[in-house]
Amino acid sequence: MSDATMATRSLTDCNTMLLTLHSWAQAGWIRWLDVELANFLFQEAQSLRFEPSPLLLLGAALCSHQNGHGHLCLDLGHCLQNPDQSLLLPPEHALHTPDITPDTLLTRISLPAWIQAFTQSALCVQESPESEQHQESAGRSNAPLVLYTDQHSARLYLHRYWQYECKIKKTLWQTLKYTPLVDELVLRESLDRLFSDDSHSGPERLPNWQKIACALSVRSQFAIITGGPGTGKTTTVVKLLSVLQTLHRRTHHTTLLRIKLAAPTGKAAARLSASIAAQVTALADSTGIPREVSTLHRLLGPIRHSRFFKHNASNPLPADVVVVDEASMVDVELMAQLMDALPAHCRLILLGDKDQLASVEAGAVLGSLCANANEGRYHTGTADWVTRVSAQVIPETHIDNHGRPLDQAITMLQYSHRFGTVPGIGALAKAINRGANASEIQSLFAGQHTELKWIHAQTNHDQAFESLLCDLKQGYGCYLSLVQQPPALADVPAAWDDWADKVLSAHATFQLLAALRKGEFGVDALNSRCRTVLTRHGLIQESKTDTANALEMLEWYAGRPVMITSNDYNLQLMNGDIGITLPYPNPASPTGLSLRVAFRDTADAGHIRWILPTRLQQLETVFAMTVHKSQGSEFAHTAMVLPAHDSPILTRELIYTGVTRASKQFTLICSKTSVLEKSVQTRVFRAGGLEL
């Protein structure tokens, strides 16, 4: 059978379509999970005694595939116009090219025919703007697929993701209709007291957006404060919480607001906790402002062996205000479950950088909601109210009476304090965000900014690349040289804790980031190369501990950095936690030492936890980590590696996220300028309907 005949039969015969989907999974182009969904729907249709359209099976499999790539749905029109770009095909990990590729089939399909395949099936329910506005859609049908059509697009959802999207939109619609009562006199006094130094204003950075953010956030039950690194999101939210407590105490004289602070990962929670503690200490009145930050999962209370939580609509959180940091990392499912668990009166405040990469799981919640954040689009009434309570004037360029109700609750902080002494990193981040061309970006590496360096490495064997890794001040040599200086075996445990603390701090001075997982400049190859180079230069040595255990001998060695990749509640280690493998006293060992992995305690950053390597189940070596995994982290020196070829994964958001992980020094490792330029010109597209 020829390929053309096979393609034609796939579009008219369900069994042939399933065989085609099977071949795609065998080639690594889609997941077996995607194929199994199509198989399930085919069997369901047969049990209902009807034959589904092969186009429905194709759409369901591709919709599942899109969910795996962070999309809430399959945009049918976009998929037909540019199949490979829409579906991110061929994938990085492809085993081979199938005989019949997705674009071969999709070029033979018309949008009306595809839509008809869903509308005529009992496996799919159709929704529209009218049903959505009347909030009839979430849960009115148990059909596994949902087709949403309006005058602009046709989007196919798996039922679960449609429900999540509806929950978020319904909550926001209801919340934005309600305006809390505010004593404007007390608010003005509080804002003036907290921003009395006016240190964030001046001719070059008027108005004070932090003060405006506090005012707008008080005015709404839902608020977003977004901005790049160092713009003061944490500083602003601490002052906002102080204002809210003051307003509450004036009305309820003996009570305080119940405030919950959360972040998506343990690493982000620890960073926020330290930052909040520093800001609270600086406040004259910090009554009622908590310093403890939990992960969102812990806040909601996970139910073991399920995707559900203890806190939900039937058992709401005991909270009056919930603050979520690093909200760009929160996927649509977790955001929907959080909103479901909020009491009706509870305020929700989201903090995050809208320009960062979105969550690994489906949905780009923060980015979608902040679509107009750069322009502001505040109503005249909103601007007048801000001036009345804060004495700040919103620029005319940010006034638009056609702005959404949601826009009135969003503030984008403009001025970065982090890059004051290293302006090159800030300038590079801004250039990337505005989509600068290659020559503009290259000019920033011309020498006027000593904190920026470009290594044109053709391979990972490049001498400059090796020198970077081994650098004793700004490379991995910094922490590995300390690994080789352990305390005396007889020293007290506190001495070993102090040593581990210094090693962990030194490790945070440098991190190698990669865009891809596979290939010469992918994470897997880079981690292997780093170990080889560092061993050859004597920075990693054979362990002097008891190496009778074969696993320890082969995989574990002093200095190995590891990242936890899945929450382990038994060990109290969260996804994203980083530890360093070190020797530790063990009287039972013939050498007196055995390897442990040292982690900082999430609840107490000053406490070191020593974990046996054999107890760690889900982890990976992180001499190199993906840019996605680096979100929520900050390193003094970050080096980002780009491959020598284009990839759908390379986007403006990825490059921006990698650059802004650096606080003092940034090194770009890229052999082809064209790859960088195309990446900066390519924006992340995530199909969904959260743009209210």
Side-chain angles (χ1 to χ4, degrees):
M1 186 185 301
S2 68
D3 291 350
T5 303
M6 184 74 169
T8 301
R9 287 196 59 182
S10 294
L11 297 176
T12 56
D13 178 73
C14 286
N15 287 305
T16 308
M17 174 61 76
L18 291 173
L19 287 175
T20 299
L21 295 175
H22 189 276
S23 72
W24 292 354
Q26 281 186 319
W29 282 47
I30 64 175
R31 302 171 300 175
W32 287 108
L33 174 66
D34 309 328
V35 181
E36 286 306 312
L37 174 64
N39 278 321
F40 168 76
L41 294 178
F42 181 60
Q43 293 167 7
E44 282 293 294
Q46 289 188 318
S47 69
L48 296 172
R49 300 184 183 280
F50 75 89
E51 183 81 2
S53 166
L55 297 184
L56 182 142
L57 302 181
L58 173 65
L62 294 182
C63 183
S64 175
H65 167 80
Q66 292 297 78
N67 291 154
H69 284 277
H71 298 271
L72 287 180
C73 57
L74 173 68
D75 187 314
L76 300 183
H78 186 251
C79 183
L80 292 177
Q81 290 170 7
N82 197 332
D84 288 348
Q85 181 184 31
S86 175
L87 300 171
L88 293 180
L89 296 175
E92 178 193 352
H93 58 267
L95 302 176
H96 60 267
T97 300
D99 294 333
I100 305 297
T101 59
D103 69 313
T104 303
L105 292 186
L106 293 168
T107 54
R108 298 165 180 255
I109 301 172
S110 70
L111 182 58
W114 212 1
I115 290 175
Q116 186 180 37
F118 298 110
T119 57
Q120 294 182 345
S121 174
L123 297 174
C124 183
V125 63
Q126 189 169 8
E127 301 291 353
S128 66
E130 291 74 25
S131 62
E132 184 184 33
Q133 286 292 340
H134 287 91
Q135 298 166 5
E136 301 169 353
S137 46
R140 72 174 184 177
S141 168
N142 290 323
L145 301 175
V146 177
L147 179 69
Y148 177 87
T149 56
D150 57 26
Q151 59 181 338
H152 303 295
S153 65
R155 304 194 300 267
L156 181 69
Y157 292 80
L158 299 185
H159 186 80
R160 180 162 61 92
Y161 288 102
W162 172 252
Q163 286 188 309
Y164 294 146
E165 185 176 286
C166 286
K167 175 60 187 176
I168 292 173
K169 294 171 79 169
K170 179 181 177 181
T171 300
L172 291 178
W173 279 328
Q174 292 175 341
T175 301
L176 293 170
K177 289 178 183 177
Y178 171 71
T179 302
L181 294 175
V182 177
D183 187 324
E184 292 187 10
L185 178 61
V186 176
L187 174 58
R188 186 164 56 247
E189 291 174 349
S190 298
L191 290 175
D192 288 343
R193 182 182 71 255
L194 289 166
F195 293 93
S196 59
D197 61 347
D198 210 21
S199 60
H200 303 294
S201 63
E204 75 284 359
R205 48 185 135 133
L206 283 173
N208 187 333
W209 285 102
Q210 292 188 13
K211 196 173 185 180
I212 291 173
C214 282
L216 288 175
S217 300
V218 166
R219 191 172 184 248
S220 176
Q221 195 171 325
F222 171 78
I224 296 176
I225 301 174
T226 185
T231 51
K233 296 184 289 292
T234 305
T235 301
T236 303
V237 82
V238 168
K239 292 182 178 181
L240 169 61
L241 296 177
S242 177
V243 169
L244 291 174
Q245 287 289 19
T246 299
L247 290 168
H248 185 75
R249 286 201 304 268
R250 294 294 180 95
T251 307
H252 307 79
H253 302 288
T254 59
T255 64
L256 291 171
L257 290 169
R258 297 168 298 172
I259 299 172
K260 303 293 184 183
L261 307 177
T265 67
K267 179 171 55 178
R271 282 195 63 204
L272 179 61
S273 181
S275 183
I276 288 281
Q279 296 296 331
V280 167
T281 302
L283 281 183
D285 181 8
S286 59
T287 305
I289 301 178
R291 303 186 185 206
E292 302 78 25
V293 183
S294 72
T295 63
L296 275 171
H297 284 80
R298 280 182 172 171
L299 177 69
L300 294 172
I303 298 175
R304 295 190 68 176
H305 308 303
S306 88
R307 64 187 326 120
F308 301 108
F309 294 95
K310 297 173 184 175
H311 290 292
N312 49 43
S314 301
N315 180 32
L317 285 165
D320 303 305
V321 180
V322 172
V323 177
V324 180
D325 193 23
E326 297 289 354
S328 63
M329 300 168 65
V330 182
D331 61 87
V332 69
E333 178 178 2
L334 189 55
M335 185 63 74
Q337 290 173 314
L338 170 64
M339 288 184 170
D340 196 44
L342 296 178
H345 69 280
C346 185
R347 290 177 181 267
L348 177 61
I349 302 165
L350 304 182
L351 310 177
D353 186 346
K354 70 176 183 64
D355 296 314
Q356 278 192 35
L357 284 166
S359 59
V360 175
E361 303 299 328
V365 179
L366 188 71
S368 298
L369 298 180
C370 292
N372 300 332
N374 286 330
E375 297 82 16
R377 301 189 68 183
Y378 300 115
H379 298 163
T380 302
T382 302
D384 290 344
W385 188 85
V386 166
T387 300
R388 191 163 65 246
V389 301
S390 70
Q392 299 298 305
V393 179
I394 293 179
E396 284 292 329
T397 54
H398 287 62
I399 306 297
D400 181 356
N401 286 317
H402 297 290
R404 307 169 299 173
L406 177 63
D407 296 329
Q408 317 313 302
I410 299 174
T411 314
M412 182 170 177
L413 305 181
Q414 309 284 341
Y415 180 78
S416 177
H417 301 270
R418 178 190 291 186
F419 304 127
T421 57
V422 284
I425 299 176
L428 179 59
K430 288 181 180 178
I432 291 166
N433 259 345
R434 69 170 184 271
N437 59 37
S439 60
E440 291 179 85
I441 294 175
Q442 281 182 304
S443 67
L444 295 172
F445 289 87
Q448 73 271 34
H449 299 298
T450 57
E451 63 270 25
L452 298 179
K453 184 178 180 181
W454 190 324
I455 297 177
H456 294 270
Q458 299 291 333
T459 72
N460 61 26
H461 288 69
D462 187 277
Q463 184 57 50
F465 175 63
E466 293 194 10
S467 297
L468 173 71
L469 295 178
C470 299
D471 192 294
L472 295 177
K473 292 183 178 180
Q474 294 186 330
Y476 287 134
C478 180
Y479 90 91
L480 288 172
S481 59
L482 288 176
V483 170
Q484 298 179 9
Q485 303 171 36
L489 186 59
D491 280 354
V492 296
W496 288 84
D497 288 351
D498 289 343
W499 172 58
D501 182 71
K502 291 176 182 177
V503 171
L504 286 164
S505 295
H507 177 264
T509 61
F510 177 74
Q511 182 61 54
L512 185 65
L513 303 180
L516 308 180
R517 281 208 162 270
K518 303 299 180 181
E520 184 176 12
F521 282 125
V523 164
D524 296 343
L526 286 172
N527 274 312
S528 177
R529 183 62 185 160
C530 285
R531 179 178 179 180
T532 299
V533 170
L534 295 169
T535 301
R536 191 174 70 243
H537 284 79
L539 292 168
I540 293 176
Q541 300 177 348
E542 286 191 17
S543 176
K544 297 180 180 179
T545 63
D546 178 10
T547 55
N549 186 302
L551 174 66
E552 184 176 84
M553 186 191 311
L554 293 173
E555 299 294 334
W556 293 98
Y557 50 89
R560 180 190 180 191
V562 297
M563 174 186 283
I564 302 301
T565 57
S566 180
N567 292 344
D568 188 329
Y569 294 101
N570 291 326
L571 293 178
Q572 297 183 328
L573 293 173
M574 298 293 108
N575 184 9
D577 286 353
I578 292 178
I580 306 295
T581 310
L582 298 171
Y584 190 74
N586 178 10
S589 168
T591 63
L593 294 168
S594 62
L595 293 178
R596 298 288 188 275
V597 184
F599 292 91
R600 281 206 176 92
D601 194 321
T602 302
D604 179 7
H607 178 241
I608 300 297
R609 303 181 64 228
W610 298 86
I611 310 293
L612 278 168
T614 51
R615 298 191 66 193
L616 301 174
Q617 302 301 314
Q618 302 292 325
L619 56 83
E620 58 187 30
T621 303
V622 284
F623 285 120
M625 71 170 71
T626 61
V627 176
H628 275 91
K629 290 286 188 181
S630 73
Q631 285 185 266
S633 298
E634 177 185 321
F635 308 98
H637 181 193
T638 296
M640 182 170 61
V641 184
L642 298 185
H645 58 84
D646 294 334
S647 168
I649 294 173
L650 300 176
T651 62
R652 180 183 303 178
E653 289 79 2
L654 182 138
I655 305 298
Y656 170 83
T657 302
V659 169
T660 53
R661 297 313 89 206
S663 61
K664 295 181 180 179
Q665 185 83 24
F666 175 76
T667 298
L668 176 65
I669 303 170
C670 177
S671 62
K672 290 189 177 180
T673 306
S674 59
V675 171
L676 174 64
E677 182 170 41
K678 185 171 182 180
S679 302
V680 171
Q681 300 300 324
T682 303
R683 300 299 305 270
V684 166
F685 169 75
R686 285 206 168 178
L690 280 176
E691 294 81 359
L692 297 183

